[in-house]
Amino acid sequence: MYVTRLDVQGVRNIHKSLLYPKARINIIYGENGSGKTSLLEAIYLLGRGRSFRTTNLKAVINRASDACTIFALLGNGGTDDISGVPIGVSRTSGGGFHFKVAGRQVYTSSQLAETLPIVLMNSDSLALVEGGPGHRRRFIDWGVFHVEHSFRETWRKYQRCHKQRNKLLRHDKISMAELDVWDREFISLSTQVAECRQQYFDKVLPEFHSIFKSLNGSLDLDLRLFRGWAEDSSLSKELKKSYQRDRVSKTTNSGAHRADLKLKYEGRPASEVLSRGQTKAVVLAMLIAQGRVLHRVRNKDCVYLLDDLAAELDRAHLSRGMELLLEQKAQIFITGTSKDALQALVPKSLARGIGLFHVKQGVVDQEEPDLI
Ligand SMILES: Nc1ncnc2c1ncn2[C@@H]1O[C@H](COP(=O)(O)OP(=O)(O)OP(=O)(O)O)[C@@H](O)[C@H]1O
Ligand SMILES: [Mg+2]
């Protein structure tokens, strides 16, 4: 499924725009501050129920409007496909936030995500390598959520149990019998979460290596999933060992909430040794691998939002990255300031079928592609 029609109202400087994106490549170009990222933000809101720029959704609403509304049709067919699934989100400045999928109100962003899986690459995506473990856990969990539906419920139970255990650790006097009950539950859920993640990771890893090799040649990277407690120990032992530390810190120091992806090059953490360009290639390879696995396991394609990718990657990586993305047959929205530079990334065979959008001060014009 891909976005065949996109209606954006009251998002940042976009008052009202109607677009008919194409199945594969959609180029969004315009000057700085014209509204390109805002357009991607609107699509992201549709698929994730939140912004990638702010947690304060009021900031997304156009200053002269009292609500933002994004509506899309998701279809499989050509330009005359009007039988697609409607999906919409609206947020009022008063705080009301509504999601609709196929004409029905839904109440969780995961229902949006299930309908419209989105993968975003922008300058913040480098945090996947350079940032804290939370970024990498979210990367893994996004994938697990999409390929293994039962994961959401397990993760929810895990979080509740983790919270209860931490609450108990804050008591002055702890009933060991009570702690033991929570620990059993905690160990069982941690193990389930870790297994789901490992299964997903085992699918992503070979894709990652093959994509990265194709993007970056010979760098021999070592990517591993750390489950949140020592490989050579059981969680039960780890909890006993860290009991005093847990008491002092009033938090649980081992468990699935501590999972991470460890990326190493020649035995050193990749964030310490890779160049910026190499880091970008790693991130792109991880994101493409994620889309490939989703396609393979669920026969679903995600929509890629690539914000100012040219600023993030050199020409060679950019072209190769684009080829790899196109192998997936996913829908791509790519922004930049230069129409020509973006069009140059499109293989000749696809040039006729691209969507071309010129954004000027919040107004989006759909143009015919230049055929060179
Ligand atoms: N709530 C809002 N209401 C109206 N305008 C806003 C709001 N929030 C941000 N803007 C403005 O929207 C404009 C578009 O911003 P956006 O980040 O989409 O631009 P862009 O085309 O991606 O630019 P760049 O090439 O610099 O990345 C900016 O001028 C910004 O100041
Ligand atoms: Mg931008």
mmCIF file of all heavy atoms in Angstrom, residues 36-37 53 307, ligand 2:
data_model
loop_
_atom_site.group_PDB
_atom_site.id
_atom_site.type_symbol
_atom_site.label_atom_id
_atom_site.label_comp_id
_atom_site.label_asym_id
_atom_site.label_seq_id
_atom_site.Cartn_x
_atom_site.Cartn_y
_atom_site.Cartn_z
ATOM 1 N N LYS A 36 9.040 21.833 3.144
ATOM 2 C CA LYS A 36 9.315 20.446 2.713
ATOM 3 C C LYS A 36 9.267 19.475 3.903
ATOM 4 O O LYS A 36 8.576 18.456 3.850
ATOM 5 C CB LYS A 36 10.700 20.362 2.043
ATOM 6 C CG LYS A 36 10.885 21.310 0.876
ATOM 7 C CD LYS A 36 12.277 21.232 0.304
ATOM 8 C CE LYS A 36 13.393 21.653 1.237
ATOM 9 N NZ LYS A 36 13.377 23.078 1.625
ATOM 10 N N THR A 37 9.995 19.828 4.949
ATOM 11 C CA THR A 37 9.999 18.940 6.118
ATOM 12 C C THR A 37 8.600 18.871 6.736
ATOM 13 O O THR A 37 8.178 17.834 7.243
ATOM 14 C CB THR A 37 11.046 19.421 7.148
ATOM 15 O OG1 THR A 37 12.320 19.463 6.505
ATOM 16 C CG2 THR A 37 11.139 18.499 8.347
ATOM 17 N N ARG A 53 9.530 16.062 15.139
ATOM 18 C CA ARG A 53 10.255 17.291 15.493
ATOM 19 C C ARG A 53 9.943 17.786 16.895
ATOM 20 O O ARG A 53 10.719 18.529 17.473
ATOM 21 C CB ARG A 53 9.928 18.396 14.485
ATOM 22 C CG ARG A 53 10.503 18.128 13.125
ATOM 23 C CD ARG A 53 10.782 19.386 12.375
ATOM 24 N NE ARG A 53 9.627 19.904 11.682
ATOM 25 C CZ ARG A 53 9.725 20.779 10.687
ATOM 26 N NH1 ARG A 53 10.895 21.236 10.312
ATOM 27 N NH2 ARG A 53 8.646 21.213 10.078
ATOM 28 N N ASP A 307 14.500 12.976 4.492
ATOM 29 C CA ASP A 307 14.543 14.437 4.580
ATOM 30 C C ASP A 307 15.956 14.944 4.352
ATOM 31 O O ASP A 307 16.854 14.672 5.150
ATOM 32 C CB ASP A 307 14.023 14.886 5.956
ATOM 33 C CG ASP A 307 13.632 16.363 5.932
ATOM 34 O OD1 ASP A 307 13.512 16.934 4.834
ATOM 35 O OD2 ASP A 307 13.441 16.932 7.024
HETATM 36 MG MG MG B 2 13.642 20.828 6.035
#
